[in-house]
Each structure stands twice: as structure tokens, then as C-alpha cells.
Amino acid sequence: MYNYSASYGDRYEHKKAQSNLNGFRQSNERFKQFYLNPDYETYIIEYTGDILKAFESISYAAITVTGPVFALVALPKGELNTLLQDIPQIIYVEGSFPFSLSPYKVVNTNDYYNFMDGTNSALNGEGIVVGIIDTGIDYLNPRFMTRDGNTRIISIWDQTLQQGTSPKSIAYGTEFSKEDIDLAIKAKNTGKNPYDIVAHRPENEHGTAMAGIIGGRRLSDKDFFTSAAPNCEFAVVKLKKAKESTLEQTGVDKEGVDVYESADIRMALLYLSELQAKTNKPMVIYTPFGSNVGGHDGGGPIERYVDSLTQRRGLEAVENTGEEALANTHTSGMFSSTGEERIIEVSVDPRQKNLYVSIWMRRPDRVSMGINPPIGNGTGRIPSIFKEGEEVRIQIGESIATIKYYVSFINGDQYVGILIRNAYSGIWKITVYGDYIVNGRFDAWLFQRDLLYEDTRFLINDPFITLRLPSTATSMLTASYFDSETKTPVPIAGRGFTRDGRIKPDVCVGGTNILTTGLNGADIVISGAGAAGAIICGAVALIMQWGLVLGNDKNLFTSKIRTYLITSVTEMEGITYPNPQSGYGMLSFKKLFETLDVL
């Protein structure tokens, strides 16, 4: 029996948050119909006052509250401005943006890196729940079972299945309990179909591989398999694919790529946070996906949502930096004075139908834009004098450019969103006019590389500030990765720091040639950012076991966990730390166990 329990303050805050959510439960079915409708758009909002009462008279939109100031709304295309006029309690609105899975590749080798440094510690993750938001898990894999054949998965929420019972506080998907999964395992062992009981199947091996690194179990004493927390439990969310309306709204048009969306990710975070409070067990959530959409400064809704959830003791979140450093999806520039002009050049692949560019300035700087296509006439200067968030549409030959100017209500920074539909192939030039310059720096991002065709890129690449959201959240524990054999950074790994100058990544870890498990129980060796984040997630699970479950640090919050990680790194001679590629250094599990005094 372990002695972790939430403090009175933790329980009070959860109870208060739950009371704010109770009002929307009776309208779950309506929200489900609206939200899953492919012709309806989804928006993330922040609000003040009694938002549920404000929506009582609205028939064309549905809402679900995800926190004291956050909610999701679903409504028909083209009705957003009407909603904003009808509901003045909405103070901020953002579309549901595209996310993609953390990259990794399967390596054809029998040699793999033992990231546990050959250590033998009493820490094994027991008493800790690892939440994984991904493509699902192979729950029939014995590496996720106890020695007696029972599952270590306490819950699966499959967003793609709509015929079963949804979680109580969430409108869609199907939830499976530990008891359901154990019954399915017994059915398989007796020759019956387990999927008649638990219909969940992983979309691919991604989620299973991440879970294997974090907490896969050895099957015998002769088994060479290694994971960080082999006795942990799992709570799994399988994300559904982004709706067609979301892809259309954001301009994502690349074929053959899996795209997910921020609205579903927020609901997954809500589900896991509520499950953590319900079970009263410490939980670390791994979020192996990312997006380039946002200011990379921790100020976006999904980043602040992560921060709000992890204020509660016993709930942490881990992310990796992605692999955008050499992807030509980030560029930057400097003004020296007001009145200057700078040009951003973007190559558009012939297969690319749409182009999205976001440009960010630091307050109090203000800029305006002009757009010049590869052929024909440009727009000239488009002044930023119209209403905040109002969009301007301009015909450029056969292309249509939509430009929106914003000022962040979090930090006052200006940002500009440019979406060019039916974009000509070739070199587009975006002129940035320095209307008022004090700081001078600007940053621009395209979508993450896997959502773009090969030749869609900035002509000038800036490899820094290429860590993907939500790794930039203040409370997110963030990992980059290095080559396991050479102990040097991998050039493609996403780099910090954040746009507002915070040190990210926190640490790095060997992320090449990592042994894990795939579908149907097969062992595989993988390399990539996703593997590195999974290793750090396992390390955080061990710190939480040591501190909260075993009682060595009852006052364990994110800042302390970050400190334990940082004090457990090795530094390469001649390299200055912290740095944007490896943070404070390379995590050593041996040093971590020495720090925690468990060897």
C-alpha cells in the first residue's frame, strides 16, 4: 500500500473545477452531434462569466467546458462572427489547429542502446500512471500485463469509436475500463474474439512503441528488453483524425499523412487529468505529437491549458522537441529601425495547393504585410489598421490570400496569419514593413514538415526556435535527443530556446537505436524524437514514484522534477550549457539514481 494522496488544496481545486464542468453534462449529446459533424467547425475559446448560461439561447452552436476559462465550441461554417456578436463573454477564439505525431523510424539493426546505463534500481514505476495520447495501444501485448496475465492498462478512451459508452464528462468516443480489458484478454486466451469486448485497435505501432519504451515488461529473466518504469500502469487515449472542416479551415492539403487536431488533444488532456484526480494516483502524461502553429512562447491556449492542469501536484506532462531544425519551416529577421522593409521568401512545391505562414513580432513592435506571387502583380502594402482579428481577402491572380492581424492578449505581441489558397508554385515573397520598431526581431513559421510537400520551404532556414508546440509550455518537461553512439546532438532535432527566451529543451537523451515493442508483440528498434521523449517520460515516472509514492518528497511539483533531471546530466567537454540543442545536458539514469540515492 502506497501513501500518496492529494493535498487538501489539490482536492479542493479539483472539486471547484468539477463544479464548473457539471453544467454542460446534460448537453453532451447535442455537442457530440455538432462536434463530429464534418461540416461543422471547431474553435477553442476563452471566456469570462457564466458561459453556459450565455449559450442557453443559442441554437446554432454547441459548447463543452474544459476548464474554468477554457471551452470548445462547434458551429456551422461561416457562423463564427455571429457567435462572437451573440456571446460577448468570449474574450479569445482560436481555430483547431493541425498536429502530427512525433517522428521516429524503425531501424534494421540488432544493436540497440541501453538507456538505463545498465543500472539496477529499486525504482520501477509502481504506483504511477502513465497517460499516453497517441494512436492507441496493443492491449493484448504481454509487455503491458502483469506476470499473472492481467492488464496494467487502467483505462482506454478511444475517440474513434462512437458506438460504446463515452466518458462521463466528455461527449464522444468510447471508454474501456481495466475490467473490460481483462475480460478481453481472458476471451483471447480461451479462443474467443477479444475485440467483441474491447473493440479498440491501435491505428499503427506509434503509441505501442512509446508505451514499450516507458514501461514495457520483461517476459523472462533471459529477456534483454529494457524500459524505464516496467511496473507502471497506463491510461491511453487514441486520437481521432482531424475533421475535414479543420483541414479545410487551416489549409492542410498534403495527401497520405495523418493529421490530428488541437481540440481532440485538449479533450484528451482533460480526460487524463480527471482520471488522475479520480484514481488519486500520480500521473505523468506523454504527448508525442506537435505543431508549428503558434508563437513558440508558451502563450498559446494549448500550452496554457497544460500549465493550468499541471499546477495540481501529482500531474506532470512530458514532450519532445520534434525534428524541425533543418526542415526549413522557420525563418527570422531583424529590423534596425522603423520604416525598414524585410522580405521573406517561400518556395511552394507544385503539389502544394495552400500555403500558411504565421509571423510574430515582440511587443511593442508593429508591422504590416505585402505579398508578391511568383508571377503577376502583388498586393502592395496591406496596412494593419483594421479591427483586431478581422480578415482581409485579396485576389492574387488565381490565388486568394487571407490576412489576419492580431495582438496577443497574453503578452501584447503582434502576429499575422497569412493563408494563400490555390497558391502558385515557385517563389513567393512576403514583404514585412516595419511600422513601429523597438526590438526589431521577427519570426515566421510554416506548418511542420510532415504536413508540407518537399519543396515547400523558407529559402533561408533558422534552425533555432524549432521545437514544436506544446513543448514550449512553461510546465512541460521537454527533451531533445542525441546520437546514442557518438553522444553528439542529432542535427535535425528541434532546438530552443523559446521565442520568449526560456530554456528549452530541459535535457537531452540518447534517442537512436532504442529497443521497444510494436504490433503483435514484435520487438523493434527505433530512432527519433518520439523515442527520446518516451525515455524522459519514464524518468519522470521514476522521480514521481520516489517522491510521491515512496514519500521521499511529498512536495514534488514540476520545478523540483526539472531540478532533479538537470542535476542528473553529463556535460560534454568544451560545450557551454544550457544550450538550445541539449538544454542542460544529457540525462544519465545512473546519475539520476545517485541523485535520488536509490542505488
Side-chain angles (χ1 to χ4, degrees):
M1 179 67 67
Y2 295 97
N3 57 2
Y4 167 78
S5 64
S7 68
Y8 172 78
D10 295 333
R11 293 194 297 269
Y12 173 75
E13 287 300 318
H14 172 68
K15 185 177 180 181
K16 183 173 68 173
Q18 283 299 107
S19 68
N20 291 330
L21 300 180
N22 286 337
F24 80 91
R25 299 186 195 278
Q26 60 185 353
S27 61
N28 266 0
E29 189 60 33
R30 181 166 176 258
F31 180 80
K32 176 179 179 179
Q33 293 174 0
F34 280 48
Y35 184 69
L36 296 179
N37 190 323
D39 296 325
Y40 279 49
E41 295 177 336
T42 302
Y43 291 92
I44 298 163
I45 68 165
E46 296 186 37
Y47 63 88
T48 60
D50 191 342
I51 192 68
L52 294 172
K53 184 174 180 60
F55 264 80
E56 287 179 355
S57 60
I58 301 298
S59 61
Y60 59 87
I63 185 171
T64 186
V65 175
T66 62
V69 298
F70 298 104
L72 299 181
V73 296
L75 69 167
K77 298 175 185 177
E79 293 293 335
L80 178 60
N81 288 335
T82 303
L83 182 69
L84 296 178
Q85 292 173 1
D86 290 343
I87 308 291
Q89 289 86 349
I90 297 175
I91 60 174
Y92 177 83
V93 62
E94 178 178 284
S96 186
F97 283 116
F99 280 73
S100 48
L101 296 174
S102 296
Y104 77 93
K105 61 180 179 180
V106 178
V107 183
N108 185 20
T109 180
N110 293 322
D111 296 325
Y112 56 88
Y113 171 58
N114 185 350
F115 57 85
M116 295 297 290
D117 298 331
T119 55
N120 185 16
S121 166
L123 297 179
N124 54 23
E126 191 161 352
I128 303 298
V129 178
V130 175
I132 301 179
I133 305 173
D134 207 297
T135 60
I137 191 170
D138 181 1
Y139 69 83
L140 296 174
N141 190 321
R143 295 203 184 278
F144 306 129
M145 301 177 191
T146 61
R147 287 183 179 273
D148 58 5
N150 292 321
T151 187
R152 290 162 47 217
I153 303 170
I154 66 170
S155 180
I156 297 175
W157 176 36
D158 192 324
Q159 295 182 350
T160 69
L161 301 175
Q162 308 305 330
Q163 303 305 314
T165 302
S166 302
K168 289 184 179 179
S169 62
I170 295 173
Y172 63 103
T174 299
E175 183 180 33
F176 301 100
S177 67
K178 180 183 187 302
E179 291 73 21
D180 295 329
I181 300 169
D182 279 334
L183 286 175
I185 292 171
K186 291 179 181 177
K188 178 180 181 296
N189 293 338
T190 57
K192 299 177 182 177
N193 184 5
Y195 301 111
D196 288 340
I197 301 171
V198 175
H200 167 79
R201 297 175 188 258
E203 194 77 26
N204 51 44
E205 68 188 4
H206 195 280
T208 300
M210 299 302 108
I213 294 171
I214 298 168
R217 181 180 64 86
R218 286 183 178 177
L219 302 182
S220 70
D221 293 337
K222 297 181 180 180
D223 191 351
F224 293 105
F225 192 91
T226 299
S227 71
N231 282 20
C232 73
E233 295 177 303
F234 293 100
V236 176
V237 178
K238 178 183 176 181
L239 292 171
K240 71 176 184 63
K241 302 286 182 59
K243 294 194 300 184
E244 285 298 323
S245 61
T246 299
L247 301 181
E248 179 184 341
Q249 184 182 9
T250 56
V252 175
D253 60 74
K254 186 178 180 182
E255 297 179 357
V257 61
D258 293 336
V259 186
Y260 305 89
E261 58 180 300
S262 53
D264 289 322
I265 292 168
R266 288 174 67 90
M267 296 302 285
L269 289 166
L270 171 64
Y271 172 77
L272 291 175
S273 70
E274 289 191 335
L275 183 65
Q276 188 271 328
K278 177 182 176 182
T279 60
N280 198 31
K281 291 183 178 182
M283 177 185 290
V284 53
I285 300 173
Y286 186 36
T287 58
F289 44 75
S291 176
N292 269 357
V293 179
H296 295 67
D297 58 3
I302 194 164
E303 298 153 287
R304 289 186 292 111
Y305 190 55
V306 169
D307 289 342
S308 70
L309 294 176
T310 53
Q311 287 180 10
R312 185 169 73 240
R313 185 183 60 170
L315 183 63
E316 302 294 338
V318 173
E319 179 61 291
N320 62 76
T321 60
E323 297 182 356
E324 297 289 313
L326 303 183
N328 288 74
T329 55
H330 172 238
T331 194
S332 62
M334 284 291 298
F335 291 99
S336 59
S337 63
T338 298
E340 291 184 340
E341 302 174 11
R342 294 290 181 265
I343 294 178
I344 300 173
E345 293 184 303
V346 191
S347 170
V348 175
D349 191 289
R351 295 166 291 178
Q352 197 83 44
K353 299 176 183 177
N354 305 313
L355 178 70
Y356 179 79
V357 183
S358 62
I359 302 168
W360 289 75
M361 302 293 299
R362 297 177 180 175
R363 71 172 189 273
D365 293 1
R366 294 291 178 268
V367 298
S368 53
M369 300 290 152
I371 303 173
N372 291 285
I375 56 174
N377 298 321
T379 64
R381 187 172 186 164
I382 307 168
S384 57
I385 59 175
F386 43 87
K387 184 179 178 182
E388 161 77 9
E390 183 180 349
E391 66 181 36
V392 171
R393 295 187 180 184
I394 299 177
Q395 190 84 30
I396 307 176
E398 296 182 1
S399 303
I400 298 177
T402 302
I403 303 96
K404 291 185 180 182
Y405 291 99
Y406 302 86
V407 175
S408 169
F409 78 99
I410 299 300
N411 56 23
D413 289 357
Q414 185 194 29
Y415 61 105
V416 186
I418 301 173
L419 176 58
I420 304 173
R421 297 187 185 275
N422 195 28
Y424 293 107
S425 62
I427 307 301
W428 286 75
K429 295 183 179 181
I430 300 173
T431 303
V432 186
Y433 299 92
D435 295 343
Y436 179 76
I437 300 298
V438 175
N439 294 301
R441 181 183 171 97
F442 65 87
D443 292 274
W445 286 274
L446 303 173
F447 285 143
Q448 56 270 27
R449 170 49 53 195
D450 48 0
L451 301 189
L452 302 172
Y453 286 102
E454 183 178 358
D455 202 37
T456 299
R457 55 188 172 84
F458 289 122
L459 294 192
I460 298 177
N461 181 58
D462 183 347
F464 299 99
I465 321 183
T466 51
L467 65 179
R468 304 195 303 181
L469 279 67
S471 71
T472 48
T474 300
S475 64
M476 188 72 79
L477 297 161
T478 303
S480 183
Y481 76 107
F482 63 91
D483 186 288
S484 304
E485 182 177 354
T486 65
K487 302 297 189 290
T488 57
V490 176
I492 63 174
R495 305 177 194 177
F497 295 139
T498 61
R499 192 174 64 88
D500 59 331
R502 287 176 294 111
I503 296 171
K504 294 275 184 174
D506 297 300
V507 296
C508 66
V509 68
T512 59
N513 293 4
I514 307 299
L515 178 65
T516 186
T517 186
L519 299 181
N520 302 316
D523 287 347
I524 57 175
V525 179
I526 68 172
S527 296
I535 293 171
I536 295 299
C537 182
V540 173
L542 298 184
I543 295 172
M544 295 177 76
Q545 179 192 10
W546 173 84
L548 297 176
V549 177
L550 299 179
N552 292 294
D553 190 343
K554 286 293 201 175
N555 201 30
L556 189 65
F557 287 92
T558 304
S559 57
K560 277 193 174 182
I561 293 176
R562 181 175 282 118
T563 299
Y564 286 129
L565 291 173
I566 291 172
T567 55
S568 304
V569 301
T570 58
E571 299 180 354
M572 301 294 290
E573 187 175 347
I575 298 178
T576 301
Y577 295 93
N579 64 66
Q581 287 184 282
S582 53
Y584 285 93
M586 299 178 290
L587 179 71
S588 163
F589 275 83
K590 182 177 180 181
K591 289 192 68 174
L592 175 62
F593 294 149
E594 290 173 350
T595 299
L596 303 180
D597 193 24
V598 293
L599 282 180

